[in-house]
PDB file of all heavy atoms in Angstrom:
ATOM      1  N   MET A   1     -83.257  86.182 -21.179  1.00  0.00           N
ATOM      2  CA  MET A   1     -84.217  86.378 -22.261  1.00  0.00           C
ATOM      3  C   MET A   1     -83.861  87.641 -23.034  1.00  0.00           C
ATOM      4  O   MET A   1     -83.559  88.679 -22.440  1.00  0.00           O
ATOM      5  CB  MET A   1     -85.631  86.489 -21.684  1.00  0.00           C
ATOM      6  CG  MET A   1     -86.727  86.649 -22.725  1.00  0.00           C
ATOM      7  SD  MET A   1     -87.138  85.102 -23.575  1.00  0.00           S
ATOM      8  CE  MET A   1     -88.142  84.293 -22.314  1.00  0.00           C
ATOM      9  N   LYS A   2     -83.879  87.538 -24.360  1.00  0.00           N
ATOM     10  CA  LYS A   2     -83.580  88.698 -25.205  1.00  0.00           C
ATOM     11  C   LYS A   2     -84.789  89.002 -26.078  1.00  0.00           C
ATOM     12  O   LYS A   2     -85.248  88.175 -26.864  1.00  0.00           O
ATOM     13  CB  LYS A   2     -82.348  88.427 -26.088  1.00  0.00           C
ATOM     14  CG  LYS A   2     -81.981  89.603 -26.984  1.00  0.00           C
ATOM     15  CD  LYS A   2     -80.746  89.309 -27.813  1.00  0.00           C
ATOM     16  CE  LYS A   2     -80.376  90.461 -28.723  1.00  0.00           C
ATOM     17  NZ  LYS A   2     -79.154  90.182 -29.524  1.00  0.00           N
ATOM     18  N   PHE A   3     -85.289  90.237 -25.932  1.00  0.00           N
ATOM     19  CA  PHE A   3     -86.411  90.708 -26.733  1.00  0.00           C
ATOM     20  C   PHE A   3     -85.884  91.690 -27.777  1.00  0.00           C
ATOM     21  O   PHE A   3     -85.119  92.592 -27.453  1.00  0.00           O
ATOM     22  CB  PHE A   3     -87.444  91.419 -25.857  1.00  0.00           C
ATOM     23  CG  PHE A   3     -88.040  90.553 -24.786  1.00  0.00           C
ATOM     24  CD1 PHE A   3     -87.563  90.596 -23.479  1.00  0.00           C
ATOM     25  CD2 PHE A   3     -89.079  89.683 -25.078  1.00  0.00           C
ATOM     26  CE1 PHE A   3     -88.116  89.798 -22.492  1.00  0.00           C
ATOM     27  CE2 PHE A   3     -89.639  88.877 -24.095  1.00  0.00           C
ATOM     28  CZ  PHE A   3     -89.151  88.934 -22.794  1.00  0.00           C
ATOM     29  N   VAL A   4     -86.340  91.522 -29.013  1.00  0.00           N
ATOM     30  CA  VAL A   4     -85.969  92.441 -30.076  1.00  0.00           C
ATOM     31  C   VAL A   4     -87.250  93.030 -30.667  1.00  0.00           C
ATOM     32  O   VAL A   4     -88.209  92.300 -30.950  1.00  0.00           O
ATOM     33  CB  VAL A   4     -85.140  91.762 -31.177  1.00  0.00           C
ATOM     34  CG1 VAL A   4     -84.828  92.754 -32.301  1.00  0.00           C
ATOM     35  CG2 VAL A   4     -83.844  91.201 -30.605  1.00  0.00           C
ATOM     36  N   LEU A  19     -92.267  96.535 -21.727  1.00  0.00           N
ATOM     37  CA  LEU A  19     -91.419  95.379 -21.428  1.00  0.00           C
ATOM     38  C   LEU A  19     -90.483  95.672 -20.263  1.00  0.00           C
ATOM     39  O   LEU A  19     -90.319  94.857 -19.349  1.00  0.00           O
ATOM     40  CB  LEU A  19     -90.594  95.000 -22.659  1.00  0.00           C
ATOM     41  CG  LEU A  19     -91.220  94.051 -23.672  1.00  0.00           C
ATOM     42  CD1 LEU A  19     -90.358  93.969 -24.926  1.00  0.00           C
ATOM     43  CD2 LEU A  19     -91.425  92.656 -23.078  1.00  0.00           C
ATOM     44  N   ARG A  20     -89.872  96.851 -20.301  1.00  0.00           N
ATOM     45  CA  ARG A  20     -88.931  97.181 -19.230  1.00  0.00           C
ATOM     46  C   ARG A  20     -89.643  97.354 -17.886  1.00  0.00           C
ATOM     47  O   ARG A  20     -89.101  96.954 -16.839  1.00  0.00           O
ATOM     48  CB  ARG A  20     -88.144  98.446 -19.600  1.00  0.00           C
ATOM     49  CG  ARG A  20     -87.138  98.859 -18.547  1.00  0.00           C
ATOM     50  CD  ARG A  20     -86.176  97.704 -18.167  1.00  0.00           C
ATOM     51  NE  ARG A  20     -85.175  97.455 -19.182  1.00  0.00           N
ATOM     52  CZ  ARG A  20     -84.709  96.253 -19.477  1.00  0.00           C
ATOM     53  NH1 ARG A  20     -85.168  95.172 -18.864  1.00  0.00           N
ATOM     54  NH2 ARG A  20     -83.775  96.103 -20.405  1.00  0.00           N
ATOM     55  N   ASP A  23     -90.292  93.802 -16.706  1.00  0.00           N
ATOM     56  CA  ASP A  23     -89.125  92.931 -16.543  1.00  0.00           C
ATOM     57  C   ASP A  23     -87.878  93.807 -16.491  1.00  0.00           C
ATOM     58  O   ASP A  23     -87.491  94.413 -17.491  1.00  0.00           O
ATOM     59  CB  ASP A  23     -89.059  91.956 -17.720  1.00  0.00           C
ATOM     60  CG  ASP A  23     -87.911  90.950 -17.604  1.00  0.00           C
ATOM     61  OD1 ASP A  23     -86.956  91.213 -16.845  1.00  0.00           O
ATOM     62  OD2 ASP A  23     -87.959  89.919 -18.294  1.00  0.00           O
ATOM     63  N   GLU A  24     -87.237  93.866 -15.337  1.00  0.00           N
ATOM     64  CA  GLU A  24     -86.092  94.763 -15.159  1.00  0.00           C
ATOM     65  C   GLU A  24     -84.764  94.152 -15.595  1.00  0.00           C
ATOM     66  O   GLU A  24     -83.758  94.869 -15.674  1.00  0.00           O
ATOM     67  CB  GLU A  24     -85.990  95.182 -13.685  1.00  0.00           C
ATOM     68  CG  GLU A  24     -87.166  96.011 -13.200  1.00  0.00           C
ATOM     69  CD  GLU A  24     -86.981  96.489 -11.779  1.00  0.00           C
ATOM     70  OE1 GLU A  24     -85.936  96.165 -11.174  1.00  0.00           O
ATOM     71  OE2 GLU A  24     -87.877  97.179 -11.266  1.00  0.00           O
ATOM     72  N   SER A  25     -84.751  92.850 -15.882  1.00  0.00           N
ATOM     73  CA  SER A  25     -83.458  92.201 -16.103  1.00  0.00           C
ATOM     74  C   SER A  25     -83.204  91.749 -17.536  1.00  0.00           C
ATOM     75  O   SER A  25     -82.048  91.594 -17.938  1.00  0.00           O
ATOM     76  CB  SER A  25     -83.321  90.987 -15.175  1.00  0.00           C
ATOM     77  OG  SER A  25     -84.368  90.056 -15.421  1.00  0.00           O
ATOM     78  N   SER A  26     -84.231  91.511 -18.315  1.00  0.00           N
ATOM     79  CA  SER A  26     -84.020  90.972 -19.667  1.00  0.00           C
ATOM     80  C   SER A  26     -83.370  92.004 -20.588  1.00  0.00           C
ATOM     81  O   SER A  26     -83.472  93.215 -20.390  1.00  0.00           O
ATOM     82  CB  SER A  26     -85.352  90.521 -20.276  1.00  0.00           C
ATOM     83  OG  SER A  26     -85.844  89.383 -19.624  1.00  0.00           O
ATOM     84  N   GLU A  27     -82.704  91.510 -21.621  1.00  0.00           N
ATOM     85  CA  GLU A  27     -82.104  92.373 -22.640  1.00  0.00           C
ATOM     86  C   GLU A  27     -83.178  92.782 -23.640  1.00  0.00           C
ATOM     87  O   GLU A  27     -83.935  91.945 -24.139  1.00  0.00           O
ATOM     88  CB  GLU A  27     -80.976  91.625 -23.356  1.00  0.00           C
ATOM     89  CG  GLU A  27     -80.286  92.453 -24.426  1.00  0.00           C
ATOM     90  CD  GLU A  27     -79.194  91.701 -25.165  1.00  0.00           C
ATOM     91  OE1 GLU A  27     -78.936  90.527 -24.808  1.00  0.00           O
ATOM     92  OE2 GLU A  27     -78.618  92.290 -26.106  1.00  0.00           O
ATOM     93  N   ILE A  28     -83.255  94.070 -23.915  1.00  0.00           N
ATOM     94  CA  ILE A  28     -84.226  94.600 -24.886  1.00  0.00           C
ATOM     95  C   ILE A  28     -83.463  95.405 -25.924  1.00  0.00           C
ATOM     96  O   ILE A  28     -82.715  96.327 -25.585  1.00  0.00           O
ATOM     97  CB  ILE A  28     -85.297  95.479 -24.210  1.00  0.00           C
ATOM     98  CG1 ILE A  28     -86.019  94.717 -23.102  1.00  0.00           C
ATOM     99  CG2 ILE A  28     -86.300  95.984 -25.250  1.00  0.00           C
ATOM    100  CD1 ILE A  28     -86.969  95.582 -22.281  1.00  0.00           C
ATOM    101  N   LEU A  29     -83.679  95.069 -27.182  1.00  0.00           N
ATOM    102  CA  LEU A  29     -83.038  95.771 -28.296  1.00  0.00           C
ATOM    103  C   LEU A  29     -84.122  96.310 -29.207  1.00  0.00           C
ATOM    104  O   LEU A  29     -84.994  95.566 -29.670  1.00  0.00           O
ATOM    105  CB  LEU A  29     -82.121  94.808 -29.065  1.00  0.00           C
ATOM    106  CG  LEU A  29     -81.527  95.317 -30.382  1.00  0.00           C
ATOM    107  CD1 LEU A  29     -80.631  96.527 -30.150  1.00  0.00           C
ATOM    108  CD2 LEU A  29     -80.759  94.202 -31.087  1.00  0.00           C
ATOM    109  N   ASN A  71     -83.027 101.644 -19.931  1.00  0.00           N
ATOM    110  CA  ASN A  71     -82.016 100.598 -20.105  1.00  0.00           C
ATOM    111  C   ASN A  71     -82.378  99.681 -21.274  1.00  0.00           C
ATOM    112  O   ASN A  71     -82.407  98.452 -21.173  1.00  0.00           O
ATOM    113  CB  ASN A  71     -81.858  99.772 -18.816  1.00  0.00           C
ATOM    114  CG  ASN A  71     -80.680  98.812 -18.894  1.00  0.00           C
ATOM    115  OD1 ASN A  71     -79.716  99.044 -19.626  1.00  0.00           O
ATOM    116  ND2 ASN A  71     -80.764  97.716 -18.139  1.00  0.00           N
ATOM    117  N   ILE A  72     -82.678 100.323 -22.403  1.00  0.00           N
ATOM    118  CA  ILE A  72     -82.990  99.617 -23.637  1.00  0.00           C
ATOM    119  C   ILE A  72     -81.954 100.027 -24.681  1.00  0.00           C
ATOM    120  O   ILE A  72     -81.664 101.208 -24.842  1.00  0.00           O
ATOM    121  CB  ILE A  72     -84.415  99.960 -24.131  1.00  0.00           C
ATOM    122  CG1 ILE A  72     -85.460  99.393 -23.172  1.00  0.00           C
ATOM    123  CG2 ILE A  72     -84.650  99.444 -25.549  1.00  0.00           C
ATOM    124  CD1 ILE A  72     -86.885  99.790 -23.510  1.00  0.00           C
ATOM    125  N   SER A  73     -81.405  99.056 -25.365  1.00  0.00           N
ATOM    126  CA  SER A  73     -80.459  99.357 -26.435  1.00  0.00           C
ATOM    127  C   SER A  73     -81.239  99.795 -27.667  1.00  0.00           C
ATOM    128  O   SER A  73     -82.059  99.037 -28.198  1.00  0.00           O
ATOM    129  CB  SER A  73     -79.613  98.124 -26.756  1.00  0.00           C
ATOM    130  OG  SER A  73     -78.724  98.380 -27.820  1.00  0.00           O
ATOM    131  N   ARG A  75     -81.045 101.302 -31.538  1.00  0.00           N
ATOM    132  CA  ARG A  75     -80.187 101.520 -32.700  1.00  0.00           C
ATOM    133  C   ARG A  75     -81.027 102.092 -33.835  1.00  0.00           C
ATOM    134  O   ARG A  75     -81.950 101.424 -34.329  1.00  0.00           O
ATOM    135  CB  ARG A  75     -79.532 100.213 -33.153  1.00  0.00           C
ATOM    136  CG  ARG A  75     -78.608  99.612 -32.105  1.00  0.00           C
ATOM    137  CD  ARG A  75     -77.926  98.377 -32.634  1.00  0.00           C
ATOM    138  NE  ARG A  75     -77.407  97.568 -31.544  1.00  0.00           N
ATOM    139  CZ  ARG A  75     -77.003  96.311 -31.683  1.00  0.00           C
ATOM    140  NH1 ARG A  75     -77.054  95.735 -32.879  1.00  0.00           N
ATOM    141  NH2 ARG A  75     -76.549  95.629 -30.642  1.00  0.00           N
ATOM    142  N   GLU A 101     -78.287  89.690 -35.402  1.00  0.00           N
ATOM    143  CA  GLU A 101     -78.784  89.780 -34.025  1.00  0.00           C
ATOM    144  C   GLU A 101     -79.654  88.566 -33.725  1.00  0.00           C
ATOM    145  O   GLU A 101     -80.487  88.168 -34.551  1.00  0.00           O
ATOM    146  CB  GLU A 101     -79.605  91.054 -33.810  1.00  0.00           C
ATOM    147  CG  GLU A 101     -78.800  92.331 -33.770  1.00  0.00           C
ATOM    148  CD  GLU A 101     -77.944  92.460 -32.518  1.00  0.00           C
ATOM    149  OE1 GLU A 101     -78.195  91.706 -31.549  1.00  0.00           O
ATOM    150  OE2 GLU A 101     -77.028  93.291 -32.529  1.00  0.00           O
ATOM    151  N   SER A 102     -79.484  88.005 -32.559  1.00  0.00           N
ATOM    152  CA  SER A 102     -80.328  86.895 -32.129  1.00  0.00           C
ATOM    153  C   SER A 102     -81.517  87.430 -31.337  1.00  0.00           C
ATOM    154  O   SER A 102     -81.524  88.579 -30.896  1.00  0.00           O
ATOM    155  CB  SER A 102     -79.520  85.929 -31.266  1.00  0.00           C
ATOM    156  OG  SER A 102     -79.084  86.584 -30.072  1.00  0.00           O
ATOM    157  N   ASP A 104     -84.923  85.912 -28.569  1.00  0.00           N
ATOM    158  CA  ASP A 104     -85.773  84.876 -27.989  1.00  0.00           C
ATOM    159  C   ASP A 104     -87.230  85.130 -28.349  1.00  0.00           C
ATOM    160  O   ASP A 104     -87.962  84.220 -28.725  1.00  0.00           O
ATOM    161  CB  ASP A 104     -85.596  84.834 -26.469  1.00  0.00           C
ATOM    162  CG  ASP A 104     -84.209  84.360 -26.069  1.00  0.00           C
ATOM    163  OD1 ASP A 104     -83.815  83.266 -26.511  1.00  0.00           O
ATOM    164  OD2 ASP A 104     -83.505  85.097 -25.342  1.00  0.00           O
TER     165      ASP A 104
END
Side-chain angles (χ1 to χ4, degrees):
M1 182 77 77
K2 180 179 179 179
F3 299 98
V4 177
L19 273 171
R20 180 53 75 215
D23 183 340
E24 295 184 0
S25 59
S26 290
E27 180 182 358
I28 304 173
L29 171 62
N71 188 26
I72 292 175
S73 178
R75 297 183 199 166
E101 288 290 345
S102 63
D104 293 305

